[in-house]
Amino acid sequence: MLYNDLFSYTIILNSRSPRRKRLLEDMGFNICVVKTQTEESYPDNLAIEEIPVFLAEKKGRTYTEQIREKEILLSSDTMVFLDDEALGKPQNKQEAITMLQKLSGRKHCVVSGCNLRTKDKSISFYEKTNVFFKSLSSQEIEYYVNQYEPLDKAGAYGIQEWIGMIGIEKIEGDFYNVMGLPTVSLFQKLKEIL
């Protein structure tokens, strides 16, 4: 594949995440952001890897505009799981503190599901990354929650922010997946869908 061909496409990003937009821009793509509304419900019987894929596909179907030549629609969903419990976006600072207390000193996983659509093709995939937090003190958690913006992030934290710098001991897998977009596997799938 000629990379000039790939980069001549516009990625229609169906997401409210500024981090996803920034990562795609940093990868060199032309981006057009759309923000469709989707109820984030899913069947109870799905495995944790299947849930974000189900939600990404659901978001992809809500885009009712016609996808044109040289356009690829990207819908994505990222979830944090501690054991089998999904930790979504906290509703308030107290809920963010509670989530971070749960993650403290534990391993959890971050799963992103993506759905790519062109005029005539659709590909879905997921990426899973294990994240290991050191034991966090109550002062560290409260400082982070008060100084940063945990309310727009699944699991109440951003790996690229202060809490990630001082609290995450190691990861197994794609770092950017924890930020919300599995860039390595995304790049491979973009080449496949063309």
Side-chain angles (χ1 to χ4, degrees):
M1 136 158 295
L2 296 172
Y3 286 121
N4 288 343
D5 291 343
L6 177 59
F7 291 110
S8 69
Y9 278 74
T10 296
I11 306 284
I12 301 169
L13 176 62
N14 187 4
S15 175
R16 288 175 164 67
S17 168
R19 292 166 297 282
R20 288 189 186 119
K21 179 178 184 287
R22 177 65 191 270
L23 288 171
L24 286 166
E25 288 170 343
D26 287 350
M27 290 175 77
F29 290 107
N30 297 315
I31 310 298
C32 173
V33 175
V34 296
K35 299 173 183 177
T36 61
Q37 290 284 17
T38 310
E39 186 199 349
E40 297 198 357
S41 61
Y42 50 86
D44 294 337
N45 62 341
L46 296 180
I48 63 171
E49 294 86 1
E50 296 172 319
I51 297 169
V53 172
F54 178 89
L55 293 172
E57 290 173 347
K58 194 174 182 182
K59 288 177 184 177
R61 288 190 297 271
T62 65
Y63 183 75
T64 57
E65 303 298 318
Q66 181 67 35
I67 299 171
R68 298 185 296 250
E69 293 291 335
K70 296 289 188 176
E71 289 182 342
I72 302 169
L73 176 68
L74 167 60
S75 302
S76 184
D77 195 86
T78 300
M79 297 181 72
V80 172
F81 295 94
L82 181 63
D83 300 323
D84 287 332
E85 179 188 1
L87 301 181
K89 295 175 184 174
Q91 298 300 306
N92 53 54
K93 286 185 175 184
Q94 185 52 55
E95 195 171 311
I97 289 169
T98 301
M99 283 187 187
L100 290 168
Q101 287 169 338
K102 286 181 178 183
L103 295 173
S104 176
R106 306 271 315 273
K107 174 183 98 168
H108 66 277
C109 71
V110 177
V111 183
S112 291
C114 294
N115 177 242
L116 295 170
R117 292 173 187 260
T118 62
K119 277 180 61 122
D120 42 32
K121 286 188 195 171
S122 177
I123 294 177
S124 295
F125 63 96
Y126 74 89
E127 189 71 37
K128 180 177 173 182
T129 303
N130 291 321
V131 181
F132 298 78
F133 263 111
K134 75 174 185 80
S135 291
L136 300 167
S137 70
S138 57
Q139 291 91 346
E140 288 167 339
I141 290 172
E142 287 174 22
Y143 176 81
Y144 174 70
V145 168
N146 289 322
Q147 297 298 317
Y148 292 85
E149 296 177 4
L151 303 186
D152 72 335
K153 298 171 182 75
Y157 77 92
I159 191 171
Q160 73 281 8
E161 295 178 339
W162 183 82
I163 198 80
M165 294 176 196
I166 66 99
I168 293 176
E169 295 179 318
K170 69 174 181 173
I171 68 167
E172 295 170 345
D174 184 341
F175 172 85
Y176 296 105
N177 183 47
V178 186
M179 283 180 66
L181 196 64
T183 56
V184 174
S185 51
L186 173 64
F187 192 69
Q188 295 306 312
K189 298 298 181 183
L190 284 167
K191 290 189 292 183
E192 285 176 28
I193 203 166
L194 302 183

